Amino acid sequence: MRYRDVPGLSGAANAAVRVLERERFSPGAVSVALSVWSVRVHGSRRRWKPWEAEFTCLCCGEGWARDKLADILLLLPPRAATELRGRVERLDSALLDRTHHDPTADPDLPWWHRRC
C-alpha cells in the first residue's frame, strides 16, 4: 500500500494526513475511508478498487468508513481536519437526504449506523 492524496485537500492537509497515516493508521487509509463512504452515500454498485478491497469486508458494511473518518477528524491538526470535515459533511448531508432513520437500530450506535 502506498500513500494516496485525498482529492480536494490542499497540499498541507494531505501532508498532515500522511503523517497521521504513518503514525496511527496505514498508508492510504484516509483516502480509502472517504472513497468507501462516498460509495455508501451515493449507492454506487461499482466494485471496490484493488487498493480498497483490503479495507472492505461484507460483515462490516461501509459504516466502518464513517467510523474511521470520525476518528481521523479528531486526530488531524485543526486546519487539515476542517478541510476534510467539509468533504465528509457534504457526504453526510447527501446520506441524510437519501435515507431515513431506522427505528429498530440500536440507539447507542452513531447516527450513520442507524440509517436505511
Side-chain angles (χ1 to χ4, degrees):
M1 181 59 89
R2 64 185 182 96
Y3 290 99
R4 297 184 177 279
D5 282 349
V6 178
L9 296 190
S10 68
N14 270 304
V17 165
R18 283 190 296 277
V19 169
L20 181 62
E21 288 175 339
R22 186 172 46 251
E23 293 175 355
R24 300 287 296 267
F25 298 102
S26 61
V30 176
S31 182
V32 168
L34 192 62
S35 177
V36 170
W37 186 236
S38 179
V39 168
R40 161 66 173 103
V41 167
H42 296 298
S44 171
R45 298 283 184 206
R46 75 164 173 82
R47 292 194 180 276
W48 306 113
K49 295 175 184 165
W51 53 272
E52 293 172 330
E54 71 182 84
F55 294 93
T56 307
C57 72
L58 297 175
C59 63
C60 299
E62 298 90 1
W64 72 266
R66 185 58 178 82
D67 294 337
K68 184 71 65 186
L69 290 168
D71 294 341
I72 289 162
L73 288 169
L74 292 174
L75 295 169
L76 278 173
R79 287 187 184 189
T82 297
E83 286 187 42
L84 183 60
R85 187 172 293 108
R87 301 277 318 275
V88 173
E89 286 177 351
R90 282 190 294 279
L91 291 170
D92 290 351
S93 179
L95 183 74
L96 287 167
D97 289 345
R98 295 177 55 139
T99 61
H100 63 276
H101 174 73
D102 178 359
T104 65
D106 182 349
D108 293 330
L109 291 174
W111 69 265
W112 52 87
H113 287 286
R114 294 179 283 143
R115 304 298 291 184
C116 58

